[in-house]
Amino acid sequence: MQDRTVCRERRAQRRSLRAIVRHRSASTRATARAVRAVASGKPQPVRTRLVAAGLDDATAKRFAGAFSRGVIANGTRETTVKLKGRVTKRVPVKLYAAPTFVARLAAYRPKDATAAAAFARLALEVAA
C-alpha cells in the first residue's frame, strides 16, 4: 500500500514539474515574440507592447482593454477570434506607436494595488 502511495505522489510531482517547465517556456517564447514585434518599429497592439515591456502575459491580457480605452490609435488591423465550436469572427485590433504607448504608460494606473505597482515599475523602466 505504501509503494502505491509513494508512486502516485511522485507521479503527481513530476506532472506538476512538467507543467511548470511548459508554462515557463511558453511565457519565454511569448516575451521573445513580443520583443521582436516591438523591435520592428511598426505600431503594435497594447498587449504585445506590455509583454515586451516586461509584464506577464496574463496581466497584459487583463489590462489591455482598459489601458487602451480613451487613447486614439495610430492604426488598426483585423484579426480572427475563435468563438464556440468552429465559429470564428474577424475583429479590429487597435495599434499603437511607441510614443503613444509610453505616454499612456506614464499616466495609467489600475485600481488594483499590485497591478498599479507593476505598471509604475514598467513606466520607470520604459522612461529610463
Side-chain angles (χ1 to χ4, degrees), residues 1-120:
M1 193 68 168
Q2 286 284 333
D3 293 335
R4 287 183 180 176
T5 315
V6 170
C7 278
R8 193 175 303 128
E9 288 173 359
R10 286 185 180 158
R11 198 173 332 138
Q13 185 179 19
R14 284 193 308 267
R15 191 180 316 123
S16 68
L17 289 174
R18 280 194 310 268
I20 289 169
V21 169
R22 196 169 48 248
H23 289 296
R24 281 185 187 165
S25 61
S27 68
T28 302
R29 279 193 306 271
T31 303
R33 194 176 325 121
V35 167
R36 276 195 313 271
V38 169
S40 71
K42 298 177 184 174
Q44 298 294 325
V46 170
R47 181 176 171 186
T48 303
R49 290 205 176 270
L50 289 173
V51 170
L55 206 62
D56 63 295
D57 193 45
T59 307
K61 182 178 181 180
R62 178 179 171 196
F63 290 105
F67 185 90
S68 61
R69 193 170 298 128
V71 181
I72 298 170
N74 298 102
T76 57
R77 73 171 184 214
E78 280 195 351
T79 189
T80 304
V81 176
K82 185 181 177 299
L83 303 175
K84 287 185 179 180
R86 294 185 181 188
V87 180
T88 59
K89 180 181 180 182
R90 296 193 61 82
V91 295
V93 176
K94 295 185 217 174
L95 304 176
Y96 299 93
T100 307
F101 174 74
V102 171
R104 180 64 173 152
L105 187 60
Y108 179 74
R109 296 294 177 271
K111 290 181 181 177
D112 181 21
T114 307
F119 275 91

